[in-house]
Amino acid sequence: MELFQVDGLSLLAIPQLAVDVPGQPPGMNGGDSDTELRVLRRTAEGFEPFQSLRVSGGEDAEFFRIGRRAFLATASIRRGQGPYEFGVDSQLYEWDGARFVPFQSVPGFAAKQWRHFTLADQHFLALAQGLPLPGSRPSRIYRWDGRAFEPFQEIASEQGYNWHAFRVAGHDFLAHADHLAPSVLYRWDGARFAVHQKLAEQHGRAFASFSADGEEYLLVGCILSPSRLLRWDGESFVEHAVLDGLGTREFAVLHGRGGLYVLRVNFIHGTPAAPTTALSSQLYHWQDGGLRVVEEFPTSGGTDVAVFTDDRGPLVAVSNGLSADVRFATESVIYRFTEQEHQ
């Protein structure tokens, strides 16, 4: 789920991993992945269809700008109806003033997440990817050369899932989440990204960073292991707290009148062969030096959460990827965030 504004339009991009195949038994690793990414436009009545982009096995969309130019990077994990092809190009689109048009294709293998960030006026795009299959590729960072994105640095990975770029104590960091290999925090050394510390042994999915009470924190989300809140001690991140429950897929930080909030979206419990998809996800409020659950909300194979602010305050978009009976046809939800006293 990617909420953004361009040329006076409020748009929402929603990638589609797969659609149900009539007669095919339910399963999260099935379906038809020759899909399209949906771009919706916000109106006074809600969101309506605006544009469809040919993005097979869609896993992610990342909107970013370079000067006056606007781009949408899309990640494709696979194509076909089974057996699937995972060596799929991921597509970058550019806004032409009225719609998104193809700009660049990037070779990939089971691509899952793009992240755009800048360092010293340089633009980078990082692609998390890979599966333990022949022909797999490591996660890779690309750098803008003024005309296109060119390969810059490979990041060791087995099943890459996500990135998070942030700055702490004068250091620029890039966290990489991997399901099978360790999730690792990298530090920009002025020329490349160097290993700084390990963040999780396995099952990495997502990160979020924030400042609170004069300290810097990093959330490390894992799906089959406990997610943890780490605190910067001046040299590295150390464990501050462990979050209850498994299944973490994504985080978002929200700043409201009542202070700092964190949204956590959970994907599944169990195994891909027999998943439980109808779960509760959490809203945390920063209180007394920690994150306290103040509300839970239903998700069904939750995959992402995005925060967007309009003239009435924050909106929270939550994407759901699997129904309770493990079908792809399920609804994503946009919430209006309202605050109340949490005691």
Side-chain angles (χ1 to χ4, degrees):
M1 299 280 272
E2 182 79 336
L3 284 157
F4 56 94
Q5 289 187 314
V6 59
D7 285 346
L9 298 174
S10 293
L11 300 179
L12 171 63
I14 309 177
Q16 309 290 317
L17 168 65
V19 296
D20 294 313
V21 176
Q24 187 180 82
M28 62 178 284
N29 289 325
D32 179 358
S33 279
D34 293 330
T35 54
E36 293 185 337
L37 179 148
R38 298 174 181 175
V39 181
L40 308 180
R41 176 177 57 192
R42 189 178 181 194
T43 69
E45 290 73 36
F47 285 88
E48 65 179 21
F50 176 75
Q51 185 180 3
S52 292
L53 302 175
R54 196 66 180 165
V55 177
S56 63
E59 283 278 312
D60 184 44
E62 175 84 341
F63 176 80
F64 61 96
R65 297 179 183 274
I66 299 177
R68 295 184 177 180
R69 302 172 69 177
F71 298 88
L72 189 68
T74 68
S76 292
I77 189 172
R78 67 186 193 184
R79 64 181 164 213
Q81 299 184 28
Y84 300 99
E85 183 180 352
F86 292 96
V88 183
D89 286 358
S90 287
Q91 306 298 324
L92 277 61
Y93 295 86
E94 183 173 6
W95 180 256
D96 71 357
R99 58 196 296 107
F100 286 102
V101 296
F103 172 73
Q104 181 180 353
S105 293
V106 176
F109 192 98
K112 302 179 193 71
Q113 201 89 25
W114 283 108
R115 283 290 181 264
H116 168 262
F117 57 96
T118 58
L119 286 175
D121 297 325
Q122 300 181 85
H123 288 266
F124 294 90
L125 265 181
L127 181 62
Q129 61 181 346
L131 278 176
L133 294 173
S136 186
R137 296 170 179 262
S139 294
R140 179 172 285 172
I141 302 168
Y142 294 82
R143 182 170 61 180
W144 178 254
D145 69 1
R147 295 173 298 176
F149 284 96
E150 296 295 330
F152 175 74
Q153 182 178 346
E154 290 187 350
I155 297 296
S157 60
E158 294 186 41
Q159 195 170 347
Y161 261 90
N162 214 330
W163 307 90
H164 181 59
F166 63 107
R167 186 174 177 82
V168 167
H171 300 292
D172 290 299
F173 290 109
L174 181 66
H176 175 260
D178 197 292
H179 181 68
L180 296 175
S183 294
V184 175
L185 182 65
Y186 293 84
R187 185 188 70 258
W188 177 250
D189 67 6
R192 298 181 67 79
F193 293 93
V195 172
H196 185 78
Q197 71 176 100
K198 186 187 301 183
L199 297 174
E201 287 292 340
Q202 283 187 315
H203 313 140
R205 283 299 185 277
F207 309 98
S209 57
F210 59 87
S211 302
D213 300 335
E215 303 277 2
E216 303 290 341
Y217 294 91
L218 177 65
L219 275 163
V220 179
C222 297
I223 191 167
L224 295 178
S225 305
S227 298
R228 298 175 301 136
L229 177 63
L230 310 182
R231 186 186 71 257
W232 177 252
D233 72 355
E235 296 184 358
S236 62
F237 284 94
V238 297
E239 187 171 294
H240 181 77
V242 177
L243 277 60
D244 290 338
L246 304 178
T248 301
R249 181 62 178 262
E250 193 57 88
F251 293 114
V253 175
L254 191 158
H255 296 274
R257 295 187 304 276
L260 183 141
Y261 296 85
V262 171
L263 292 129
R264 167 185 170 183
V265 163
N266 298 316
F267 181 47
I268 66 168
H269 288 170
T271 67
T276 298
T277 63
L279 304 177
S280 291
S281 291
Q282 289 76 39
L283 172 67
Y284 298 88
H285 188 208
W286 183 262
Q287 298 179 7
D288 302 322
L291 292 172
R292 175 186 173 188
V293 176
V294 292
E295 186 176 345
E296 295 195 315
F297 55 97
T299 46
S300 189
T303 55
D304 200 10
V305 55
V307 176
F308 181 77
T309 301
D310 64 9
D311 55 4
R312 293 174 52 198
L315 293 168
V316 175
V318 176
S319 59
N320 292 303
L322 294 165
S323 66
D325 59 353
V326 200
R327 295 290 186 181
F328 294 106
T330 186
E331 293 183 343
S332 296
V333 183
I334 299 175
Y335 297 91
R336 170 69 63 187
F337 181 79
T338 58
E339 294 185 76
Q340 58 185 4
E341 292 296 327
H342 298 297
Q343 302 297 329

